[in-house]
Amino acid sequence: MSLDTEPTASETSPHSSRPDLQVSADETRLAEMVEEQERIFLDRQPGSRALLERGKRSLAGGVTSSWQIARPQAVFISHGAGSKMWDVDGTEYVDMHGGYGVSMAGHAHPAVVKAVTERVARGTHFAQPTEDAIAVSEALAERWGLPLWRFCNSGTEATMDAIHLMRAIKGRDLVIKVEGCYHGHHDSVQVSVAPYAEDVGPADHPTGVAASSGIPQAIRDLTVIVGYNDLDQVERVLTENEGRVAGMILEPVMMNAGIILPAEGYLAGLKELLHRHDALLTFDEVKTGFTVSGGGATAALGVTPDIVCLAKALGGGVSVAAIGGTAEVMGHITDGSYDQVGTFNGNPLAVAASRAALSDAFTPEAYERVERLRERLVTGLQDSIARHHIPAHVVAIGAKGCVVFSESPVRNYRDYLEVDDTYSHAHWLYQHNGGVFLPPWGKSEQWLISVQHDEADIDRFVGNFDRFATDLRS
Ligand SMILES: Cc1ncc(COP(=O)(O)O)c(C=O)c1O
């Protein structure tokens, strides 16, 4: 797996709209561009505007998750096929939002459609296992090198099970979490997800900051925050709290702060340190699973943790999640010392879709094709960045990538805070109005190249970026 990283520069808290931004030299021009592009955007979306107004009368905020709110307006979608999707006004987009990383199989992948159609006609829920669940767990065991699996329904549930398991197995309450990693919306991981610069405390001793309202201080105190790519901090926390740390959870490649790659030896070093202190390591592969490679970051980067959490892409577009672990870890589920439960766990529709995605969409040939498309995209963007002297660089791995609007490399959340976010929204609008749908959250998110994208899709992205860069310099 190749890692394409080239320093360049950008900030706003990933999941916050707060504008505590660094001021860029291009600020005035960007403001003009945003104004014009938002007007074009709104002119193209009358159907979405009408639905949003109607939705607000029965759906809080008119949407079904707060992350569907976009500036200047949420976009209502009609349907998707292959690499494309269409909004309710009939406008076509190359979908590189990918539903926050779910749509690795593309839309309506024929194998997923067939599997779901057949399953739906035979009943979709029994709260009893089906054979598909075994086939999927066998495939996951092979791809991740971890023998035992269980299913659940969202990334949040998977990381919640992982935290419970680490605490249950070690009989300890403290958990280490990385500043700037998002692991879902349960209490233990809702700490220092996207804190503001003035709240974060010293870099070598980060303050734990509640990521939303409703998180009790008593729970927050059990989550100890460290910086990414810093083994010394983990060693300090383990030593200062000897015998009190159950384990550590992190995204092996950070993907809720743009994309931040692990330094050489970081993941292996974590595993060694944690095991030396009799604590466990969990990789949250909710975003990296099936996108960084067919076996996620675990296979691509060669470090196998004690526990892996999967969700998003696993179901080929259907809602499902999974947790996998070593025989020792999962033995605590088998012997009943931890009850891993859920009415919809292993739902027949979800595991039928997962089986089809794994066998027919996430193939070695598909990943080779995605690699070629990623190379084409990275090269096109780097060329445009250089020609127009844009203060930016590209970071990409597997099917994922992003333009980081900074000339300096980003190694952790503190570096990420320095990135100027004023470029990201303008770029997002140029892509959107140019027919490429990206996640609407500024510098925090990244593109997804599905197994159904093609060269023309990639070229549309590069063309839009070049138009953005040309206008910025005009
Ligand atoms: C790395 C990571 N973990 C966990 C989650 C939570 O997943 P879900 O939204 O399915 O609960 C997300 C969601 O974006 C995520 O990016």
Side-chain angles (χ1 to χ4, degrees), residues 194-239:
Y196 299 133
E198 62 269 32
D199 296 334
V200 293
D204 61 354
H205 220 300
T207 305
V209 182
S212 85
S213 49
I215 311 298
Q217 183 67 47
I219 305 243
R220 247 182 286 164
D221 291 343
L222 299 177
T223 301
V224 186
I225 302 301
V226 295
Y228 188 66
N229 274 330
D230 189 335
L231 290 172
D232 290 345
Q233 281 191 51
V234 176
E235 180 149 39
R236 172 185 56 74
V237 169
L238 288 166
T239 309

Side-chain angles (χ1 to χ4, degrees), residues 12 33-34 44 51 78 90 112 136 168 182 210 241 258 273 314 330 359 391 425 430 442 469:
T12 294
M33 288 161 65
V34 165
R44 283 156 52 97
L51 284 177
S78 151
V112 176
V136 176
Y182 177 68
N241 299 282
L273 261 179
L314 170 61
M330 298 303 274
S359 60
H425 183 55
Y430 268 77

